[in-house]
Amino acid sequence: MESQILLSIHYSDPLWIATAFLCGLMISRIGLPPMVGFLAAGFLLNALGVEGGEFLNVMADLGITLLLFSIGLKLKIKSLIRPEIWGVATLHMGMITILVATIIVLLSYTALPLISGVDMATALLIGFALSFSSTVFAVKVLDELGATNARHGQVAIGLLVVQDIAAVVFIAASMGKLPTIWALALVGLVPLRFLIFRILDRVGHGELLILFGIALALVGADIFELVGIKADVGALVFGMMLANHVKANELSKALLGLKELFLVGFFLSVGMASLPGWNEVLIALLFILILPLKTALYFGLFNLFHLRSSTSLRASFNLANYSEFGLIIGAIAVSAGWLPKEWLAVFAVVMSISFIVSAPLVNVRDNLYQRWRPRLKRFERSKRLAGEENLALSGIKVVVFGMGRMGTAAYDVLEPDYAAHLVGVEIDRDRAIKHATEGRNVVSGDATNPDFWARAPELLDALEWVLLTLPSQKANMSAAMRLKEMGYQGRIAATTKFRDEEDALKAVGVDLTFNIYTEAGLGFANELQTFVGKKMKDALENELSVRQQN
């Protein structure tokens, strides 16, 4: 038996690994997420008769465990209790679940394959699986845009976490059994948290940090499994235990590559589980027709909870897709016998098509907003959330967009010369508040948002210099283009990391670029030269002093 497993791993695994890579590469070349290619690779391997094997199953399980652990690392309870997060999440999930279930029940009286004869309970299960939006897709898009800390990014991620919690609760309930009496011992995790914190303080920033994170995710999953609770809940809870640690974000980023690598196994296993036929594709396309309504419902609910129309639209487009958690729920439903296995192919196809639809929309959403702005503004509420109110910025001559390390350094250098005529704009509201408490004139805002300039109508009047030190090239490019669209004629400087980025920024009107790698090296060399020169001068002075004494 052991030799058969080794033989299976030896011959089949390189095939699906290579196929996944080629399909992911081809899909990424046309601007779509590689996971669409991984699903396609699974379908292709299924058609060729290739089976996954033990290694693929282990890889898929580990990917889901790390996904839930990473979600836990970002799960700060105070960020989820805001009404615009949990309110929109619960209302949207409930409304989409009921809407999809109603459509399926109505279609159950037809002869449509897979849907014909479906009862209400099964229809609600399908609606629930399709009520989620993709965490993986949204996080990757926001990270590429440098918008993770923007209001629309925080709203989208918070809402996704609430959805993910609902999915985890369903996963736990699907076990169909009560936890054992030993589950009460889990309260011992509260004091254990302080020991974990102390270990995390000492693991450094390299491979030990990654290994510690994987160990915690797996140990948490196993402990919860032992007391009769779904292992995935354990991974989520152990991640939540670390959410307030200063290294939580660093650990999440360190695990990102491994998590995405292991999730390849999950997407492949889904594609290899069931090959979609024309019936599955037809039903998937039917659900795609609901996607615009799903997105419009997000937009309407965000406006209902007092977000600006531009923020609502951006967050809604981040969520305009179906989720990998729908696949997970579908896989559980199929394994429990609640759904035929063909539904797994339906969920895989509908998610893939939704990514194909959503990816281009994210790139054109601001242009669409500018075109539809008068109509979209009608949906705004008169009351403003904190961080979305209008800004009084008259008489400002220099603005620094992005108050990270580079932006803060630039602000501090300019402050003596410009004093009351200088302002910093920071996308992260908590960081903006911290800067303000330290005495800097910093406000919360997003320079890439078309509505930022509506919040600060007087900013352009006396403005002479704009410094763009935003966290990504895309963000700097977008902010520069927004400035030009608003008719700004002053000078723009921007930070870059690579030569091709400098050329791209200058092409959209940036006057001065600052390569942080090159300039940091030059700065270090100048400091070193100054330091060495001072040492030599001190040595010569000491030598002269000794000679004079002699």
Side-chain angles (χ1 to χ4, degrees), residues 296 299-310 312 372-384:
F299 176 79
L301 289 173
F302 283 137
N303 277 282
L304 183 65
F305 281 82
H306 306 288
L307 289 174
R308 283 181 176 268
S309 59
S310 59
S312 298
W372 300 338
R373 184 173 180 174
R375 297 177 183 177
L376 296 176
K377 280 287 187 182
R378 298 173 188 170
F379 294 94
E380 282 188 351
R381 313 279 282 186
S382 57
K383 183 180 178 181
R384 292 278 182 263

Side-chain angles (χ1 to χ4, degrees), residues 225-246:
E225 189 78 44
L226 286 173
V227 299
I229 302 177
K230 185 71 173 171
D232 297 329
V233 180
L236 180 72
V237 169
F238 267 63
M240 290 172 59
M241 289 169 58
L242 302 180
N244 290 318
H245 194 279
V246 293

Side-chain angles (χ1 to χ4, degrees), residues 32-33 36 351-360:
L32 296 176
V36 177
M351 188 188 77
S352 300
I353 297 176
S354 75
F355 289 168
I356 294 171
V357 172
S358 290

Side-chain angles (χ1 to χ4, degrees), residues 507-526:
V508 296
V510 172
D511 302 286
L512 176 66
T513 57
F514 182 94
N515 189 308
I516 60 177
Y517 294 148
T518 303
E519 298 298 336
L522 290 173
F524 175 70
N526 291 333

